[in-house]
Amino acid sequence: LTINASKDYSFNMSEQYDVIDGMYNSRSPYEYGMFRTSNIMIGTAFGRSDVNGSAAFEQFKANRIIVANRLAQERGIDLSNPANIDEYGYPVGYSRTNQEVLMPSFLAAYSGKDISKQDNGFLKSIPLPNWELRYTGLAKLGWFKNSFTRVTLSHRYTSDYTINNFQTNYEFLENPNSLNAGGNYPTKNVVSNVTMTEAFNPLVRLDFLTKSGIDFGFGINKDRLLSMSFDNNLLTEVQGNEYNIKLGFIIKDVGFTTNFEGVANGGRIISDIRFSTEFSWRRNQTLIRYLDYNNNQIGAGQDITNIKLNAEYDLSKNFLVRFYYEHMFSKAVISTMYPITNIRSGITLQYKFGN
C-alpha cells in the first residue's frame, strides 16, 4: 500500500511606486498565482450523474444559501430585515452567483462533505491522501497456489483540486464594502475557473500467470473531470468508464528452415512465439450543466473499442521480428458526429548490437 499527498502553491506580487517629496507611494499592486492539492472525491464518485440530473449538482445548488447566510452573518448583515434579502432569498451582497458563495458550495458538494464543515475561500491548508494498492498474496492460497505462479490484485486512486490562476480584484482594493455591478461584495481575489479531477486507474484489476505460462487479466478504469466556470456559472463534467481484458501466451519451440548464412543447427531456427492481445471498451461523455437553468446537455462523447494483437519471434539472440495489429473504432454519442475507424498494422525488425 502506497499513500501520497501533494500540494503546489505559487504566489507572485508586483508593485509600482512613485516618489513625491521623498515619499514612496504604492501604485497598482498586483498579486497572482496558482494552487493545486491532492484531494478526495470518492464520496460522490458512484452517485447518479447523467443528462437527466446529478445528486451532487443538486447538493451544490442547495449549499449556496447556507454559505451565503454564513458570509452575511460574518459581515454583520441583519438577515431578519427584508431589505437585506434579494428576490431569490439570498442576502444582498452574497447572491447565488457570488464567487465566495459558489466556491465552498462546489467543493463540499462534489467532495461529499457537509457544507457546515467546509471552510470559506478557495485555499485548502492540508492536502488529502491518494493511494495505490497492490496485493500478490492470493498466489499463496489454496486453489490459486496450485494453478498460478502469480496473482496480482491492484487498485489506484488519484484526485486533484486545481486553480490554474487567481489574481487581484481591483474592485476589492478600491472599496471592499461597496456592491459591484453584479450586486455583490467584491472578493479579494478573482478566480475564473476551478477544476477537480478523479481517477480510479484501475478501480480494480486482476492479473494471472498460470503455471503453463498463460498470462491474462481484466480491469475496470473510471475517471471524471469537473470544471466550474465562474465567468458564466457553467459546470462541465467529463466522465470516463473503461473495461479491458488482456491475454498472453507462448507457443514454444517453433522452428523453420532458412538459407540465411550464419544460422546454426544446419539452417534451422527454433524459438518461441510470444503472443499478447488486449481488448478494451471505453465510453467518454461530456455533460454541461447550467447552474440556474434546468437544462443539462450532452456536449460531446464517444464509445471507443480498441483491439491490439502483438506477436514476437527471435530469429537469433540479437535479431527479433515483431508483428503488430491495432484496430480502434470510435462512435460518437451525439448524432452530429460520424464514426471513425483507425487500423495500424505492420512488421518490425529489431537488431541488438553487442552481447
Side-chain angles (χ1 to χ4, degrees), residues 222-237:
K222 180 179 178 65
D223 56 77
R224 62 175 171 163
L225 179 147
L226 301 161
S227 178
M228 180 65 205
S229 171
F230 299 110
D231 293 331
N232 53 14
N233 299 319
L234 202 67
L235 175 64
T236 302
E237 181 176 349

Side-chain angles (χ1 to χ4, degrees), residues 235-302:
L235 175 64
T236 302
E237 181 176 349
V238 182
Q239 305 172 352
N241 293 280
E242 180 180 351
Y243 306 88
N244 55 75
I245 302 172
K246 73 168 186 178
L247 173 65
F249 57 93
I250 298 174
I251 301 178
K252 291 184 173 296
D253 299 332
V254 177
F256 65 93
T257 303
T258 177
N259 294 324
F260 289 153
E261 293 186 7
V263 176
N265 302 321
R268 184 76 174 167
I269 297 177
I270 300 176
S271 186
D272 300 337
I273 300 180
R274 300 178 294 278
F275 288 97
S276 63
T277 60
E278 293 183 28
F279 172 83
S280 66
W281 180 86
R282 179 178 177 86
R283 166 164 289 183
N284 297 321
Q285 185 172 252
T286 300
L287 299 170
I288 299 174
R289 305 190 190 278
Y290 295 84
L291 194 56
D292 288 308
Y293 300 94
N294 188 20
N295 183 17
N296 299 327
Q297 298 179 2
I298 297 180
Q302 55 188 344

Side-chain angles (χ1 to χ4, degrees), residues 18 24 308:
D18 61 17
Y24 284 82
K308 295 180 181 180

